Amino acid sequence: MLNIVIFGAPGSGKGTQSDNLIKTYGLFHISTGDVLRDNIKRGTELGGIAKSYIDQGQLIPDDLMIDILANVLDTHKEEAAKGVIFDGFPRTIAQAEALEQMLQERGTSVSTVIGLEVPEQELIERIILRGQQTGRTDDNMETVKNRLDVYRNQTSPLQAFYQEKGLYQAIKGTGKVEEIFADIRRAVDAVK
Ligand code: AMP
């Protein structure tokens, strides 16, 4: 199995490059942000809980998020047979440890972590533009600041976590989408 964690700050291009990865490698895509937004749209109980966190730019609590991910993996066993792109998960060390255990229980592991690196000013510009184009409610100036703080404090330590395991591959996340993807492809092919 080829299990890819696509990692980076909000606005670093994880969603865009996940689409390219799906097309090239035929992997199952799990975007935890998409799962939560879909629950909000459908008015589920989970959606009700998630909305207040998302609107404030805060993370959904680890226990809940880990249960959601395990549930998605269990309900999509066949589609996930070739491997999974984890987009937006893990976002904390506790989530990364839980992911390791979940994959181990399923006889597999993280193959590589692709870290998209983009300067903060460009992240802000991209997120504000995305908010204007898509109407995504957490893509506004006020929430962006919180999301970048959360990234810095809670998520960026994962870079060292995966570096120590020899799994982290840094990719320059600025420039043309196709050129960034060419770099990602080389990184993925190196571990295939
Ligand atoms: P994203 O679409 O990945 O940018 O996620 C949007 C929002 O959903 C985040 O700002 C969080 O509030 C929430 N979220 C998504 N994934 C996670 C996660 N792995 N852990 C906690 N909260 C998450």
Side-chain angles (χ1 to χ4, degrees):
M1 271 176 93
L2 183 62
N3 295 308
I4 302 172
V5 172
I6 183 123
F7 180 80
S12 59
K14 298 189 295 292
T16 304
Q17 297 299 350
S18 289
D19 289 344
N20 285 330
L21 284 167
I22 299 164
K23 281 186 216 132
T24 306
Y25 297 98
L27 303 172
F28 183 59
H29 179 219
I30 304 178
S31 155
T32 44
D34 284 352
V35 171
L36 297 170
R37 281 185 290 275
D38 178 59
N39 274 274
I40 294 173
K41 209 159 72 189
R42 290 188 289 116
T44 67
E45 194 186 340
L46 169 62
I49 299 168
K51 188 170 168 35
S52 56
Y53 289 100
I54 293 180
D55 285 347
Q56 289 169 40
Q58 300 297 329
L59 296 184
I60 277 72
D62 282 336
D63 288 356
L64 179 57
M65 213 56 237
I66 291 162
D67 280 353
I68 295 168
L69 191 85
N71 189 264
V72 175
L73 279 178
D74 285 340
T75 48
H76 296 275
K77 277 200 191 95
E78 274 174 33
E79 296 107 301
K82 280 174 78 179
V84 177
I85 302 161
F86 295 95
D87 165 5
F89 189 102
R91 264 179 155 95
T92 62
I93 299 282
Q95 290 182 16
E97 284 169 346
L99 178 62
E100 205 165 65
Q101 199 185 331
M102 265 187 264
L103 292 180
Q104 200 181 349
E105 283 164 10
R106 291 164 178 77
T108 184
S109 60
V110 170
S111 312
T112 188
V113 177
I114 300 294
L116 294 173
E117 305 197 336
V118 177
E120 191 157 312
Q121 190 51 41
E122 183 159 343
L123 293 172
I124 296 170
E125 286 161 14
R126 287 187 191 180
I127 292 170
I128 298 302
L129 186 68
R130 181 173 65 188
Q132 288 162 355
Q133 288 171 342
T134 66
R136 194 173 139 173
T137 54
D138 59 341
D139 282 344
N140 60 67
M141 204 56 204
E142 202 184 318
T143 310
V144 161
K145 292 235 166 70
N146 287 342
R147 285 160 70 200
L148 291 175
D149 282 346
V150 165
Y151 175 77
R152 229 178 281 118
N153 297 328
Q154 300 186 58
T155 305
S156 69
L158 286 175
Q159 183 175 333
F161 176 91
Y162 283 121
Q163 263 162 352
E164 275 164 31
K165 294 178 188 292
L167 289 173
Y168 187 84
Q169 301 198 72
I171 301 286
K172 183 164 129 331
T174 52
K176 290 208 178 90
V177 172
E178 315 83 68
E179 286 169 9
I180 300 167
F181 186 60
D183 288 343
I184 294 175
R185 229 179 131 149
R186 267 190 290 277
V188 171
D189 288 343
V191 300
K192 249 176 77 187

